[in-house]
Amino acid sequence: MDLLGLGILEAPIKLPASPNSVDLEGLEFSEPPTADTSSSHKTDLERLDTLDPARTGTSSAYKTTDLLGLGVGEVAPSAMGNTEEVSPSSQDSEQEFEEVKATPLQKVAKSKQEDKRKFEKWRLQHAKIMTDEEIRTRQQFVQDERLSIRELMRKDQPQKITAPREYQLELFERAKKQNTIAVLDTGSGKTLIAVLLLRHILDQELEDRSAGRKPRVAFFLVDSVTLVFQQYEFLKVNLDQPIECFCGEMGADDWSKEIWQKHLEKNMIILCTAEILNRCLARSFINITQINLLIFDEAHHAKKGHPYAKELEVMLHSQIATAADLALLRTSVSRPNEGVLKYAKPPYPYSTRLCQEMEARYGHMKTLSEIFRNSRNATSELGEWCADQLWSYAMAEKEAFKLERKIEKTFDNERNCKPVEMLDSELRDLREAQTFVKSWTFREPAMEVNSLSSKALVLWQYLNLIYERPTNARCIVFVKQRSTARLLGALFARIGSPHLRLGILIGTRQGDPGDVKVTFKQQMMTLHKFKKGDLNCLFATSVAEEGLDIPDCNQVIRFAISNQSTENSLQLHSFDLYRTLIQYIQSRGRARHAASKAVMRQFCNSLPTDRLLQGNDADLDAALIQALNSRTFIVPESGARLTYSSSLDVLGQFVSRMFVGSSPTFVVTAEHGQYICEVVLPESSPIHSATGRPYSRKTIAKRSAAFEACILLRQRGHLDEHFVSTHHKRLPAMREAHLALGMHKSSSYNMKVKPRIWQDTRGSSPESLYMTILELENPQNLGRPSQPIALLTRTKMPDLPCALLHLQVDKSSNLIYSSLQYSFQTPRTTLSRLNAFTLRIYKDVFNKTFESNESAMSYWFAPVTKGFRSILPEQSPEKLVDWAIVDYVAGNEAWKWDIERSPGELRDRYMVDKWDGSRRFFSIEVLPNLRPQDPVPNDAAPHKYMNTILDYTVSLYTKSRKFAIWRQDQPVIYAHRILHRLNWLDEYTEEENKVQRNAYVCPEPLLFSALPASVAAMAYLLPSAISRMESYLIALEACDLLGLTIRPDLALEAITKDSDNIQEHRQEQMHLQRGMGKNYERLEFIGDCFLKMATSISIFCISPDNDEYEYHVRRMLLVCNKNLFERAIDRKLYEYVRSVGFSRRTWYPQGIQLLEGKGFKRIGEEEQRHQLGDKTIADVCEALIGAALLSNAGSGDMDMAVKAVTACVSSPDHDVAQWTDYYKLYTKPKYLLKPPIAAQTNLAAQIEQKMGYRFKYPRLLQSAFVHPSYTSSSTGGIPCYQRLEFLGDSLLDMACVNFIFHRHPDRDPQWLTEHKMAMVSNKFLAALSVKLGFNKHLRYMGQAVEFQNRTYTTDLEEAERESNGARDYWTTTKNPPKCLSDVVEAYLGAVFVDSEFNYSEIERFFNNHVRWFFEDMSIYDTFANNHPVTHLHNLLTLSLGCSNYRIMASTIPNAAGTDIDHQVAGVMIHGEVVASATAASSKNAKVKASAKALEELNGLAPFEFRAKYRCGCTEQDVQRVDIGELGTAV
């Protein structure tokens, strides 16, 4: 039985008198309370809360009102998740001599942290709004809110059927005999007819079951989730048989046949949405013979593609029926009296006195312009009182705070063209405006024109007539806008009758700022109160017209914005106020009470044409019926039926189950006046594509392709007998593989501060020491004489790369580490002398006094003899030490000055201020023309005492200076004050160069160090030298951990993370650690590629007979970030990652006690922790693989990289130690070893002539040219090219990456990735395939493949002819068929296998056939820029001039009890999310979000963009976004 509720309309019935003649005598109005200025600006809910006698315990002349049906409260904001990787604390750097100031980068970092906070807030809101498709992926249903709604509906006590009316019995009898569409007015009891029929069918069913017949079930179908619960409660009250309700949110879409069978056995009635039943029938979970009754609620939706239409129009052949006697229907069902309430023509919008005052004071504020406009409009529509109320709402605390933030944001966007005083002025004006509104005396509404509009007065008069005395009358006032409902609710809370109990019923969407937020539960609570009579009047928007169960009421009034007619009337059901006929009928039907009134215009008494069941797609449906009759696939075991209509749904569900967020791609081509469609499934699907039959309509061709794909999936066992994916049990593993570990998800880990070698060798006095000489390659760039220093260690240091030191502005030098092979003997006396020299360096140069404990020392320092390189290498290293300096320093604490010293002796000395550790000097010469009491020269470096040169020299405090006596005849020395710059790894800045260094001092107050100035000058470089050396040693220890031998420079680069957002190159780096050298990202780029190739080879060798889908799944589980991260955690690789730059505090040696100096109170060895993102740790693994590969670059030896892959993935699927082990794993398949036929031998000969490679196994070559559509029987058992393509894809990828990586050593991964896309794109490989003639050898079946290849080849050849030799001619063609590019990759896979895994053959192919196209990569910049992320960047920065944007991604919390995580990405422009998308990985989510943003922004002129997004970025801002430094943003 089919039910359609459409009312038959009657002529309007006017009221007996016009509103002007309504007798208002005898009406008494309570005196309005005195205006309360303290509460005049409260919200409506706050005001009503104070007026509610139920809450206050007092009576009031004004009625109790609850606008939402719930108490007023605030929802606590959700706690923010950890969405960013926190940088190491800046306190790690010892601020001993310098003052750190906030830098522009720190300001940028702060701004980006604010963006992240906003994005996280948006993400939490976005996570709550899940589409049906997203909800279907959840495996459990969160019951709490729905159960509470069920309870509310139970409390409403649905009506129980007692005595059906005659017309209901008439239709019931008709429905017993044939399929029927019952056409009745809203409220005429169609559901009661359904219950009567259900009772009849259930009685028959019980008889049938007792007779031994198979049980059957009745289905009650509804259109929406809301109606599922609503009708369930009604049926449950009126039926005594077991019943259950289901919807997609319960996960019913993914249930198996077994689950459905349990529900069918348990229940006799199932209530659900129509789509659920459609799928169950299509998949043969439920057979039509198992159903005894179908009921369709709200059947007027049965048109176009709605699920109802499939059964009603195509299958069930239903007939429309209504009551035979319409007059009887009108007498049985209450019909509303319709009328018109006339009101005077409203005035044009104007400004109230409050608005005028505000305009006079604050009319210049753009922020308030919208409020001014709304207030003026309200005067015409509602009256002055409501217009003023808008100001009280807008200037409430929360709203004013939002306006402040808006002003600040606008200023931030325009800060370069506006002084900050303008911001202060505007904020001050806003606060004054808020204070002004708060202090305004809001009068209570008066029942007179101006205070209230004529329309509002008529409504007030009419409602007072209804509610002048206690009554059971109920009324709904329909309004157009949410704000109107709120204002009318507030108004009538003050002026309405004491017997008027108000509520508002509006939709659940969040409206404008300041709008009331309403939930579905609150709607139900309001209706619950309306039914009980706690509320008797609702101000409602269109939400009350359809879907929600609105109880019977006496009055329905349409209160909307007036039309332009000369006659103004307050109308109910005026056609001008309805967008659809359904809206008219539904709202008219709300007036169901016997004494109902309504105001209507004339409507037709017959069904309108837009509600004919044929719908707008009748021609398509007819074609589908014809296709359905000719193309049906039935599974004999289950009876499941596949049709053109159901194939799209089956295929879509299959793909979405395997690849979350993915969908099949349909490619339609035209041929001979018909359309042929090829459906392409995502990469790693069990089948790649399928081609449908030709049809005259694209929609049919598309369904045909889906139909063929489903048949292929079924034939190959990927769909079960019910057309459900057989891979659903693999989903957890696939989800693990798809899990994207974000940069924003981080944890705190221990970080190694010192290499293990120091701790392992301490504990005893050494008898011999090894020497590592530290010298500058360009010592002249230091700016003064220096002397190399030797580092003496217990064990030989490895050969380490140089460290680049920045000595002056634009002057740098490599620091060379020369590790000598032989050691020298160190008797106790020798060691004692070296120990004293080392401690003196710490004391005099770095103001640190350490204990003298030779056994606890990690290393020692010694000066190296000048000209040491002239000493032969075979001689003892002992002779390289300048022992004279060592002995002098060990025997003298200082060089003593007295008045007898000559001026020459005071030159080139290292001097220390004994009372201020930050002041140290190199003496230049004695100035005979200056005296101690002379004024300090103007060019002297600043000091706190500047009276005389002697004062300038002494740093004693004021009190101590009184007792100090100094010689007045001592000389004055011109010196250079030493900048205590310890981090020479960082570039020397202009600011440092501007620091004044000249000094004029007297010798007596100073300490002359025993260290020669040349040694002291070199000693200042020791912190950087030791820090970089220890970083190298820790990096090598990380390699030892994995059993790898890697060059130290590459090892350090692989574990270096120098900023929090290391991969966001379009943005300023956050918490950048300067001077760390190269970070890991380039190595990660090439390491990721080798990882893909190595795992592909291994999986191919281990399982040569598996399908490509299995290969992809197994490889994904190996290379996914989650696996790399977990394996790295197992090995504690995080300890070795370098995320902190140079630290003043940690370069000092551990093991010996600090006695004096900053930090001497610290106990124990230095420990440090750092925050690392999960993805960072995974990226480091890939970077180490890249470092292992490059350590032997040029030799062709990839064994160490293979070993690195094994160490990082730690899986049986890749357990090889060297390259040759791959071939040992491979077992040749049987088809390969069979003798080739003549055609295969001929193919091998042709390929040899073209390519220069001779195949030993021609059948292997044949496999590379077999399309998946070609049947195995036609090839003699040779498989299609998919397995070889899987292998060749990774091999070609590696060759391309290797070329572009070394060809462009200074390009970052983003640029490399985008330009690599051109090299491995389907477009280029298809062109290469045609150029090599591979397309001629491709074997396939199907006209679509032949047509696509032929047309593309023609297009390509024409493009090449017209290109005049341009190498990028292939970019101008249309998109090619994928099979052409697949063949190239399959050919490479075949060559690799045939050559016994000789990778040089792949390189030879690349050099001979690919390299020529990409010698000049600049010609492909446009091609690379087509990537959505790059395109968006260029559009914003180059075309629109905006720099304040970000692309951010984070995880949407998974469903309760499941492991399904989605990544959501958003494009933020000036702090606002303008486009978003979800996907299984953050990479794909960012691409999708960027594509959506491009759709939004394309076509905007710069001035339109600036106005729309409040952009005030300047040219300087945009220039800071360096296009040449693009990160791996995707």
Side-chain angles (χ1 to χ4, degrees), residues 76 417 460 614 694 900 903 971 1143 1199 1473 1513:
C417 55
W460 167 74
Q614 187 178 14
E900 302 299 328
S1143 172
D1199 288 350
V1473 177
C1513 297

Side-chain angles (χ1 to χ4, degrees), residues 382-385 445-454 456-457 491 495:
L382 300 172
E384 292 184 2
W385 185 86
M447 274 54 71
E448 59 186 26
V449 178
N450 292 335
S451 179
L452 300 180
S453 69
S454 56
L457 277 173
L491 174 63
I495 69 173

Side-chain angles (χ1 to χ4, degrees), residues 966-1173:
W966 310 105
R967 295 182 65 105
Q968 299 300 313
D969 58 347
Q970 58 183 310
V972 173
I973 302 173
Y974 170 61
H976 282 170
R977 182 177 176 180
I978 301 171
L979 292 181
H980 212 79
R981 186 176 193 265
L982 303 186
N983 185 11
W984 301 88
L985 299 167
D986 189 11
E987 291 186 9
Y988 206 100
T989 65
E990 288 289 348
E991 287 73 15
E992 289 177 298
N993 191 46
K994 293 176 182 177
V995 174
Q996 184 58 263
R997 299 176 59 186
N998 292 333
Y1000 301 88
V1001 296
C1002 298
E1004 187 179 9
L1006 299 177
L1007 174 72
F1008 286 77
S1009 174
L1011 294 171
S1014 59
V1015 174
M1018 190 68 184
Y1020 274 100
L1021 305 181
L1022 287 176
S1024 297
I1026 297 299
S1027 178
R1028 180 53 54 87
M1029 170 183 277
E1030 291 180 337
S1031 294
Y1032 281 135
L1033 294 175
I1034 291 174
L1036 292 176
E1037 288 177 7
C1039 297
D1040 292 340
L1041 180 73
L1042 301 176
L1044 305 176
T1045 302
I1046 298 177
R1047 277 172 31 196
D1049 57 330
L1050 293 173
L1052 179 57
E1053 183 179 341
I1055 64 170
T1056 297
K1057 167 188 171 292
D1058 59 1
S1059 68
D1060 286 358
N1061 54 338
I1062 189 172
Q1063 293 182 329
E1064 296 181 15
H1065 283 266
R1066 295 188 175 95
Q1067 307 294 329
E1068 296 283 0
Q1069 299 298 285
M1070 295 179 62
H1071 302 112
L1072 178 65
Q1073 303 293 300
R1074 304 183 67 86
M1076 293 188 70
K1078 296 180 180 179
N1079 60 37
Y1080 64 70
E1081 55 180 355
R1082 270 182 60 93
L1083 291 178
E1084 182 248 336
F1085 170 74
I1086 195 170
D1088 172 74
C1089 187
F1090 187 87
L1091 173 64
K1092 173 186 174 182
M1093 181 184 72
T1095 51
S1096 299
I1097 296 172
S1098 179
I1099 292 171
F1100 179 87
C1101 295
I1102 293 173
S1103 306
D1105 295 325
N1106 276 6
D1107 58 42
E1108 187 194 10
Y1109 167 75
E1110 287 291 341
Y1111 288 162
H1112 279 285
V1113 172
R1114 292 173 67 177
R1115 183 178 69 187
M1116 202 179 303
L1117 293 173
L1118 289 181
V1119 305
C1120 68
N1121 286 330
K1122 188 174 189 300
N1123 181 55
L1124 298 176
F1125 167 73
E1126 291 176 347
R1127 303 292 79 78
I1129 291 296
D1130 293 341
R1131 296 174 180 266
K1132 297 184 178 181
L1133 186 62
Y1134 50 78
E1135 292 184 351
Y1136 300 87
V1137 176
R1138 302 290 89 194
S1139 65
V1140 179
F1142 173 81
S1143 172
R1144 294 175 177 272
R1145 190 171 69 240
T1146 59
W1147 80 271
Y1148 295 105
Q1150 292 183 348
I1152 54 176
Q1153 182 64 39
L1154 179 62
L1155 303 179
E1156 293 180 8
K1158 191 170 183 178
F1160 75 94
K1161 294 182 179 179
R1162 297 190 187 102
I1163 300 176
E1165 294 186 352
E1166 184 75 25
E1167 293 185 358
Q1168 197 163 352
R1169 295 182 67 83
H1170 56 171
Q1171 292 285 132
L1172 294 177

Side-chain angles (χ1 to χ4, degrees), residues 1305-1483:
D1306 299 325
R1307 292 292 190 175
D1308 60 77
Q1310 180 70 20
W1311 188 94
L1312 297 175
T1313 299
E1314 291 166 350
H1315 286 74
K1316 185 203 76 171
M1317 286 179 180
M1319 305 177 75
V1320 298
S1321 65
N1322 287 333
K1323 212 167 189 179
F1324 168 70
L1325 294 180
L1328 182 63
S1329 180
V1330 173
K1331 190 173 186 65
L1332 297 176
F1334 285 177
N1335 57 317
K1336 299 176 182 178
H1337 304 296
L1338 181 63
R1339 296 197 175 191
Y1340 51 85
M1341 287 186 175
Q1343 294 181 352
V1345 178
E1346 189 277 333
F1347 175 76
Q1348 292 169 355
N1349 288 348
R1350 175 164 42 84
T1351 55
Y1352 172 74
T1353 301
T1354 302
D1355 188 27
L1356 180 71
E1357 290 173 347
E1358 182 179 352
E1360 185 176 10
R1361 282 194 303 270
E1362 297 178 354
S1363 67
N1364 295 321
R1367 303 188 185 194
D1368 61 342
Y1369 67 88
W1370 55 270
T1371 62
T1372 63
T1373 64
K1374 63 183 180 181
N1375 289 330
K1378 188 174 182 299
C1379 60
L1380 294 180
S1381 59
D1382 290 344
V1383 166
V1384 175
E1385 295 170 337
Y1387 169 78
L1388 289 174
V1391 169
F1392 186 70
V1393 173
D1394 190 81
S1395 64
E1396 299 181 356
F1397 294 21
N1398 183 359
Y1399 183 74
S1400 62
E1401 288 294 338
I1402 306 300
E1403 292 180 318
R1404 187 176 70 86
F1405 174 89
F1406 177 88
N1407 291 328
N1408 291 342
H1409 305 292
V1410 178
R1411 181 173 182 144
W1412 177 84
F1413 289 92
F1414 302 101
E1415 292 287 351
D1416 180 8
M1417 289 301 298
S1418 64
I1419 64 177
Y1420 299 106
D1421 288 344
T1422 303
F1423 187 93
N1425 291 342
N1426 287 332
H1427 190 282
V1429 176
T1430 306
H1431 191 181
L1432 178 63
H1433 164 72
N1434 290 335
L1435 176 66
L1436 286 167
T1437 56
L1438 302 181
S1439 301
L1440 299 175
C1442 179
S1443 64
N1444 190 352
Y1445 72 93
R1446 301 197 72 197
I1447 306 175
M1448 304 183 70
S1450 188
T1451 302
I1452 296 180
N1454 59 335
T1458 72
D1459 60 352
I1460 304 173
D1461 279 335
H1462 279 207
Q1463 300 293 320
V1464 60
V1467 177
M1468 295 185 73
I1469 299 178
H1470 289 279
E1472 299 294 332
V1473 177
V1474 300
S1476 64
T1478 58
S1481 68
S1482 60
K1483 168 187 172 182

Side-chain angles (χ1 to χ4, degrees), residues 225-236:
V225 175
T226 302
L227 292 175
V228 168
F229 299 101
Q230 184 173 292
Q231 298 291 39
Y232 171 77
E233 293 301 326
F234 181 83
L235 296 181
K236 193 171 182 181

Side-chain angles (χ1 to χ4, degrees), residues 683-883:
E683 186 180 0
S684 303
S685 296
I687 66 170
H688 269 285
S689 62
T691 304
R693 297 183 177 184
Y695 283 95
S696 59
R697 298 193 56 146
K698 290 183 180 180
T699 51
I700 308 296
K702 184 177 178 181
R703 287 169 170 82
S704 175
F707 185 85
E708 300 296 340
C710 291
I711 291 178
L712 282 175
L713 290 170
R714 171 61 189 154
Q715 290 174 344
R716 298 183 184 183
H718 302 295
L719 292 175
D720 66 10
E721 66 275 15
H722 300 288
F723 299 114
V724 175
S725 172
T726 58
H727 298 280
H728 65 280
K729 293 182 180 179
R730 305 181 193 178
L731 274 177
M734 288 294 291
R735 290 187 189 119
E736 293 295 319
H738 272 92
L739 182 60
L741 300 176
M743 291 290 291
H744 304 310
K745 184 179 180 184
S746 62
S747 301
S748 177
Y749 301 98
N750 287 329
M751 184 181 74
K752 281 186 175 293
V753 178
K754 295 292 182 180
R756 189 177 60 247
I757 188 172
W758 304 144
Q759 183 178 356
D760 291 347
T761 57
R762 289 197 302 260
S764 61
S765 297
E767 296 180 356
S768 62
L769 293 174
Y770 287 87
M771 179 181 294
T772 300
I773 298 176
L774 312 179
E775 62 170 328
L776 292 174
E777 184 178 29
N778 299 301
Q780 69 277 6
N781 288 344
L782 184 59
R784 67 169 299 102
S786 62
Q787 187 170 349
I789 291 180
L791 180 74
L792 306 176
T793 56
R794 291 177 172 86
T795 58
K796 181 184 181 300
M797 290 291 99
D799 293 328
L800 300 177
C802 300
L804 182 64
L805 302 184
H806 300 275
L807 306 177
Q808 297 186 69
V809 175
D810 297 328
K811 290 185 178 181
S812 59
S813 173
N814 281 323
L815 178 72
I816 302 172
Y817 300 93
S818 300
S819 179
L820 304 186
Q821 183 177 359
Y822 301 103
S823 63
F824 66 95
Q825 298 299 312
T826 53
R828 181 171 296 276
T829 55
T830 301
L831 189 62
S832 178
R833 293 149 63 198
L834 292 172
N835 196 63
F837 178 84
T838 302
L839 296 179
R840 177 57 56 188
I841 285 181
Y842 290 133
K843 172 64 177 176
D844 287 0
V845 179
F846 304 109
N847 201 31
K848 294 284 193 291
T849 302
F850 287 96
E851 67 169 331
S852 179
N853 186 349
E854 296 165 1
S855 63
M857 292 286 285
S858 299
Y859 47 78
W860 292 264
F861 299 124
V864 176
T865 303
K866 295 180 180 179
F868 71 94
R869 290 195 174 275
S870 61
I871 301 177
L872 296 178
E874 59 267 18
Q875 295 185 357
S876 172
E878 180 181 6
K879 295 184 179 180
L880 300 180
V881 177
D882 192 332
W883 291 108

